[in-house]
Amino acid sequence: MRLGLEGIVAKKADSPYRAGRSPNWLKIRADRVDDFVVVGFTRPKGSRSEFGALDLGAWQDGKLVYAGRVGSGFTAAELKDVSAALERSVRAAPAFSGPVPKEAGHTWVEPTLLVEVRFKEWTDEGLLRQPVFVRFRDDKPIADAAKKGAGSGERDRAEPPESTAPRSPLPKEVKFSNLDKVFWPEEGYTKGDLIDYYRAISPWLLPYLKDRPVVLTRYPDGIAGKSFFQKDAPGFVPDWIRTERIWSEDTQRYIDYFIAEDVESLLYIINMGTIPLHIWGSRITTLEQPDWCILDLDPK
């Protein structure tokens, strides 16, 4: 990062070069990451809902200035969660100084929301190149947003020293909701029945979930309603639920996966309307070494 390089290539010492992708040769990008103020949004296009992209601001000489926009990296749940808040904070004029994007379609909002963004570099025009949304930062004030032209490497960011004081265990409480909601109309089974089922089989299921990232398929309105996949654990999950951040080459961003290591975490996930669980074939300590293989046979 300090040399201005795009990244490095790491390889096994005894691995010869071969064309194409190989697990023995890895490209490690020197991306930058920083926090930016949300100053507006664009309307969605095509099949996308809620909003198209977030307009971002950074600090320059004590004033907010435009830094570009980020439109990738969001889950469907994140799009929905933040959309209502954006609509409530609409303002007529932008909250930043300096040049304003010329193209139409921007809606400006009060600068109250902070987001973490991964990007390649700052362009000569003072905009972010290849920005990807990482997460919302409701734990920080907007005064902590990036200064224009700055941005640190992921591994260069200082981590707070870990406390040596003994930690008291966090109370694990799952606040169940809509237990009487019918999830299987023909059979009459409810969401509460689904939760009871997973609670009953948890002694046998949990050993298979140990240390494995989980992908959810959520059915908020039951088995006959619309469903969607969810990889990212939302930012509001309780602190006692374990999540692990894993880099995704497909989406070019980090994903916070659930790790269901106890019955409370499992039932929290099921209470989100999750019916099937999709479990990684590898464990968090050995992501590149799956220890099982599942054959999914769908007879027609």
Side-chain angles (χ1 to χ4, degrees), residues 68-240:
R69 60 189 180 190
V70 58
S72 63
F74 300 96
T75 65
E78 287 166 338
L79 289 170
K80 186 175 181 179
D81 287 345
V82 76
S83 181
L86 292 174
E87 294 289 355
R88 289 194 299 268
S89 63
V90 169
R91 54 182 287 159
F96 55 87
S97 304
V100 177
K102 296 179 180 179
E103 66 271 16
H106 294 268
T107 301
W108 307 116
V109 299
E110 298 293 341
T112 59
L113 185 63
L114 202 66
V115 293
E116 184 176 311
V117 174
R118 176 177 296 278
F119 61 101
K120 194 170 186 62
E121 61 184 353
W122 289 92
T123 68
D124 293 338
E125 294 77 24
L127 303 176
L128 301 179
R129 186 186 301 279
Q130 298 180 13
V132 177
F133 169 82
V134 177
R135 57 174 171 161
F136 293 105
R137 296 306 306 263
D138 53 3
D139 59 326
K140 299 175 68 175
I142 65 169
D144 288 349
K147 294 182 179 179
K148 192 163 187 176
S152 59
E154 176 72 6
R155 293 171 179 79
D156 293 335
R157 306 189 86 181
E159 295 292 337
E162 188 170 346
S163 173
T164 57
R167 297 180 180 178
S168 58
L170 293 171
K172 298 180 180 181
E173 179 185 2
V174 182
K175 296 181 179 179
F176 297 111
S177 60
N178 302 319
L179 296 180
D180 295 329
K181 189 172 186 177
V182 176
F183 264 35
W184 279 267
E186 293 186 9
E187 297 84 356
Y189 293 128
T190 65
K191 180 181 176 182
D193 294 324
L194 174 66
I195 291 172
D196 288 342
Y197 169 75
Y198 270 101
R199 181 187 286 112
I201 67 170
S202 62
W204 295 272
L205 178 60
L206 286 172
Y208 293 95
L209 298 180
K210 180 178 174 58
D211 291 332
R212 297 186 191 274
V214 175
V215 178
L216 321 181
T217 304
R218 296 177 60 184
Y219 290 78
D221 296 313
I223 196 69
K226 292 183 178 180
S227 64
F228 60 91
F229 286 99
Q230 181 171 337
K231 296 181 179 181
D232 260 305
F236 52 77
V237 298
D239 291 338
W240 51 262

